[in-house]
Amino acid sequence: DTGVSQNPRHKITKRGQNVTFRCDPISEHNRLYWYRQTLGQGPEFLTYFQNEAQLEKSRLLSDRFSAERPKGSFSTLEIQRTEQGDSAMYLCATRDRGHSGELFFGEGSRLTVL
Amino acid sequence: AQRVTQPEKLLSVFKGAPVELKCNYSYSGSPELFWYVQYSRQRLQLLLRHISRESIKGFTADLNKGETSFHLKKPFAQEEDSAMYYCALTGGQNFVFGPGTRLSVLP
Protein backbone atom coordinates (compact mmCIF):
# COMPACT_ATOMS: atom_id res chain seq x y z
CA ASP A 1 0.00 0.00 0.00
CA THR A 2 1.58 3.23 -1.13
CA GLY A 3 -0.69 5.52 0.81
CA VAL A 4 -3.33 7.95 -0.39
CA SER A 5 -3.00 8.58 -4.11
CA GLN A 6 -4.28 11.63 -5.96
CA ASN A 7 -4.36 12.44 -9.64
CA PRO A 8 -3.74 14.40 -11.63
CA ARG A 9 -0.98 16.05 -9.63
CA HIS A 10 -1.24 19.22 -11.66
CA LYS A 11 -4.05 20.58 -13.81
CA ILE A 12 -4.01 23.79 -15.81
CA THR A 13 -7.32 24.80 -17.32
CA LYS A 14 -9.06 27.79 -18.80
CA ARG A 15 -11.79 29.59 -16.94
CA GLY A 16 -15.17 28.03 -17.57
CA GLN A 17 -13.90 24.50 -18.11
CA ASN A 18 -14.78 21.53 -15.89
CA VAL A 19 -12.12 19.58 -14.00
CA THR A 20 -12.21 16.35 -12.03
CA PHE A 21 -9.79 15.10 -9.40
CA ARG A 22 -9.52 11.56 -8.14
CA CYS A 23 -8.47 10.23 -4.75
CA ASP A 24 -7.62 6.59 -4.03
CA PRO A 25 -7.58 5.97 -0.27
CA ILE A 26 -5.55 3.58 1.83
CA SER A 27 -7.25 0.21 1.77
CA GLU A 28 -9.95 -0.21 4.41
CA HIS A 29 -9.96 3.47 5.33
CA ASN A 30 -13.67 4.15 5.42
CA ARG A 31 -13.48 7.89 6.02
CA LEU A 32 -12.38 10.26 3.28
CA TYR A 33 -11.96 14.04 3.38
CA TRP A 34 -11.40 16.72 0.77
CA TYR A 35 -9.60 19.93 1.67
CA ARG A 36 -8.57 23.00 -0.29
CA GLN A 37 -5.36 24.85 0.44
CA THR A 38 -4.33 28.22 -0.92
CA LEU A 39 -0.97 29.93 -0.51
CA GLY A 40 -0.28 30.91 3.08
CA GLN A 41 -3.33 29.15 4.44
CA GLY A 42 -3.96 25.89 6.18
CA PRO A 43 -6.15 23.18 4.68
CA GLU A 44 -9.81 24.28 4.50
CA PHE A 45 -12.43 21.57 4.89
CA LEU A 46 -14.63 20.93 1.86
CA THR A 47 -16.43 17.66 2.42
CA TYR A 48 -16.33 14.32 4.23
CA PHE A 49 -17.44 10.77 3.39
CA GLN A 50 -17.97 7.77 5.61
CA ASN A 51 -18.01 4.84 3.21
CA GLU A 52 -20.16 6.05 0.31
CA ALA A 53 -22.22 8.50 2.36
CA GLN A 54 -21.37 12.18 2.14
CA LEU A 55 -21.93 13.26 5.73
CA GLU A 56 -20.81 16.86 5.77
CA LYS A 57 -20.23 19.66 3.30
CA SER A 58 -18.65 23.03 3.93
CA ARG A 59 -20.39 26.18 2.76
CA LEU A 60 -17.18 26.71 0.77
CA LEU A 61 -18.52 23.97 -1.49
CA SER A 62 -20.61 25.98 -3.93
CA ASP A 63 -23.06 24.47 -6.41
CA ARG A 64 -20.21 24.22 -8.91
CA PHE A 65 -18.46 21.65 -6.71
CA SER A 66 -19.57 18.05 -6.41
CA ALA A 67 -17.92 15.08 -4.76
CA GLU A 68 -18.73 11.42 -4.96
CA ARG A 69 -17.55 8.17 -3.49
CA PRO A 70 -19.74 5.69 -5.32
CA LYS A 71 -18.53 2.40 -3.87
CA GLY A 72 -16.97 3.62 -0.70
CA SER A 73 -13.49 3.34 -2.15
CA PHE A 74 -12.08 6.01 -4.48
CA SER A 75 -13.58 9.49 -4.58
CA THR A 76 -13.86 12.20 -7.20
CA LEU A 77 -14.12 15.95 -6.80
CA GLU A 78 -15.52 17.81 -9.79
CA ILE A 79 -15.48 21.56 -10.30
CA GLN A 80 -17.75 22.88 -13.01
CA ARG A 81 -17.31 26.22 -14.81
CA THR A 82 -14.00 26.88 -13.09
CA GLU A 83 -13.13 30.38 -11.94
CA GLN A 84 -9.73 31.88 -11.23
CA GLY A 85 -10.54 31.82 -7.52
CA ASP A 86 -10.67 28.03 -7.69
CA SER A 87 -6.91 27.92 -8.21
CA ALA A 88 -5.58 26.01 -5.21
CA MET A 89 -4.16 22.73 -3.99
CA TYR A 90 -6.89 20.15 -3.46
CA LEU A 91 -5.97 17.65 -0.76
CA CYS A 92 -7.50 14.29 -0.02
CA ALA A 93 -7.08 12.62 3.36
CA THR A 94 -8.34 9.34 4.72
CA ARG A 95 -8.80 7.84 8.14
CA ASP A 96 -9.40 4.31 9.39
CA ARG A 97 -12.29 2.94 11.41
CA GLY A 98 -10.47 3.22 14.71
CA HIS A 99 -10.28 6.16 17.03
CA SER A 100 -6.67 7.10 16.38
CA GLY A 101 -7.77 10.33 14.79
CA GLU A 102 -4.87 10.32 12.36
CA LEU A 103 -5.49 11.66 8.88
CA PHE A 104 -3.33 10.30 6.07
CA PHE A 105 -2.91 12.84 3.30
CA GLY A 106 -2.28 12.50 -0.38
CA GLU A 107 0.22 14.68 -2.19
CA GLY A 108 -2.54 16.87 -3.53
CA SER A 109 -3.79 18.02 -6.92
CA ARG A 110 -2.77 21.53 -7.87
CA LEU A 111 -5.29 23.43 -9.99
CA THR A 112 -4.41 26.52 -11.95
CA VAL A 113 -7.27 28.33 -13.68
CA LEU A 114 -6.15 30.79 -16.36
CA ALA B 1 -17.86 27.44 15.83
CA GLN B 2 -14.63 25.50 15.55
CA ARG B 3 -11.58 27.63 14.98
CA VAL B 4 -7.80 27.23 15.26
CA THR B 5 -5.42 30.17 15.33
CA GLN B 6 -1.66 30.22 14.97
CA PRO B 7 -0.44 33.77 15.51
CA GLU B 8 2.99 33.38 13.92
CA LYS B 9 3.31 32.90 10.18
CA LEU B 10 7.07 32.54 10.43
CA LEU B 11 9.33 31.61 13.31
CA SER B 12 13.10 31.66 12.94
CA VAL B 13 15.42 30.25 15.57
CA PHE B 14 19.04 29.19 15.69
CA LYS B 15 20.03 25.55 15.94
CA GLY B 16 20.08 24.43 19.57
CA ALA B 17 17.68 27.15 20.73
CA PRO B 18 14.30 26.33 22.28
CA VAL B 19 11.27 26.69 20.09
CA GLU B 20 7.58 27.18 20.84
CA LEU B 21 4.88 27.26 18.18
CA LYS B 22 1.65 28.71 19.49
CA CYS B 23 -1.82 27.33 18.87
CA ASN B 24 -5.13 28.51 20.30
CA TYR B 25 -8.53 27.06 19.58
CA SER B 26 -12.21 27.66 20.09
CA TYR B 27 -14.60 24.77 20.41
CA SER B 28 -17.73 24.30 22.46
CA GLY B 29 -17.09 20.70 23.50
CA SER B 30 -14.02 18.59 24.24
CA PRO B 31 -11.93 18.43 21.09
CA GLU B 32 -8.97 16.30 20.19
CA LEU B 33 -5.93 18.37 19.29
CA PHE B 34 -3.16 17.49 16.86
CA TRP B 35 -0.01 18.89 15.32
CA TYR B 36 0.64 18.08 11.67
CA VAL B 37 3.90 18.83 9.87
CA GLN B 38 4.82 19.27 6.23
CA TYR B 39 8.49 19.00 5.32
CA SER B 40 9.73 20.39 2.03
CA ARG B 41 8.34 18.43 -0.94
CA GLN B 42 6.55 15.94 1.33
CA ARG B 43 2.91 15.40 2.15
CA LEU B 44 1.23 16.60 5.31
CA GLN B 45 1.71 14.10 8.14
CA LEU B 46 0.81 13.70 11.78
CA LEU B 47 3.44 14.82 14.27
CA LEU B 48 1.63 14.23 17.55
CA ARG B 49 -1.78 14.19 19.23
CA HIS B 50 -2.71 15.38 22.71
CA ILE B 51 -4.38 12.11 23.71
CA SER B 52 -1.15 10.16 23.39
CA ARG B 53 0.81 12.58 25.57
CA GLU B 54 3.90 11.47 23.67
CA SER B 55 7.12 13.11 22.58
CA ILE B 56 7.88 12.80 18.89
CA LYS B 57 11.24 13.95 17.47
CA GLY B 58 11.76 15.80 20.73
CA PHE B 59 8.52 17.78 20.38
CA THR B 60 5.85 17.88 23.07
CA ALA B 61 2.53 19.68 23.33
CA ASP B 62 0.31 20.15 26.35
CA LEU B 63 -3.37 20.82 26.12
CA ASN B 64 -4.39 23.73 28.36
CA LYS B 65 -8.17 23.76 28.47
CA GLY B 66 -8.28 26.90 30.62
CA GLU B 67 -6.34 28.89 28.06
CA THR B 68 -7.65 26.83 25.12
CA SER B 69 -4.10 26.39 23.90
CA PHE B 70 -2.02 23.55 22.53
CA HIS B 71 1.45 24.98 22.05
CA LEU B 72 4.19 22.86 20.48
CA LYS B 73 7.59 22.92 22.16
CA LYS B 74 11.07 21.57 21.65
CA PRO B 75 13.99 22.40 23.94
CA PHE B 76 16.73 22.23 21.30
CA ALA B 77 15.78 22.89 17.69
CA GLN B 78 17.54 21.05 14.87
CA GLU B 79 17.92 22.13 11.24
CA GLU B 80 15.82 19.17 10.12
CA ASP B 81 12.90 20.60 12.09
CA SER B 82 12.49 23.31 9.46
CA ALA B 83 8.99 22.79 8.04
CA MET B 84 5.39 24.04 8.05
CA TYR B 85 3.52 23.16 11.21
CA TYR B 86 -0.27 23.04 11.42
CA CYS B 87 -2.34 22.77 14.56
CA ALA B 88 -5.65 20.97 14.09
CA LEU B 89 -8.69 19.94 16.09
CA THR B 90 -11.55 17.55 15.69
CA GLY B 91 -14.81 17.10 17.54
CA GLY B 92 -15.15 13.59 16.14
CA GLN B 93 -15.68 13.89 12.42
CA ASN B 94 -14.51 17.07 10.72
CA PHE B 95 -10.96 18.31 11.22
CA VAL B 96 -10.22 22.03 11.35
CA PHE B 97 -6.70 23.27 10.65
CA GLY B 98 -4.95 26.47 11.61
CA PRO B 99 -3.18 28.66 9.03
CA GLY B 100 0.21 27.19 9.85
CA THR B 101 3.57 28.43 11.11
CA ARG B 102 6.73 28.09 9.07
CA LEU B 103 9.62 27.14 11.32
CA SER B 104 13.06 27.98 10.04
CA VAL B 105 15.99 26.65 12.04
CA LEU B 106 19.16 28.50 11.16
CA PRO B 107 22.64 26.93 11.40
Side-chain angles (χ1 to χ4, degrees), chain A residues 24-37:
Chain A
D24 287 274
I26 294 172
S27 301
E28 299 179 355
H29 277 199
N30 68 331
R31 306 180 202 191
L32 187 146
Y33 300 76
W34 284 100
Y35 285 85
R36 181 175 70 185
Q37 188 173 26

Side-chain angles (χ1 to χ4, degrees), chain A residues 34-38 41-47 58 60, chain B residues 95 97:
Chain A
W34 284 100
Y35 285 85
R36 181 175 70 185
Q37 188 173 26
T38 53
Q41 299 295 321
E44 296 175 293
F45 171 75
L46 292 178
T47 191
S58 164
L60 291 175
Chain B
F95 284 71
F97 286 80

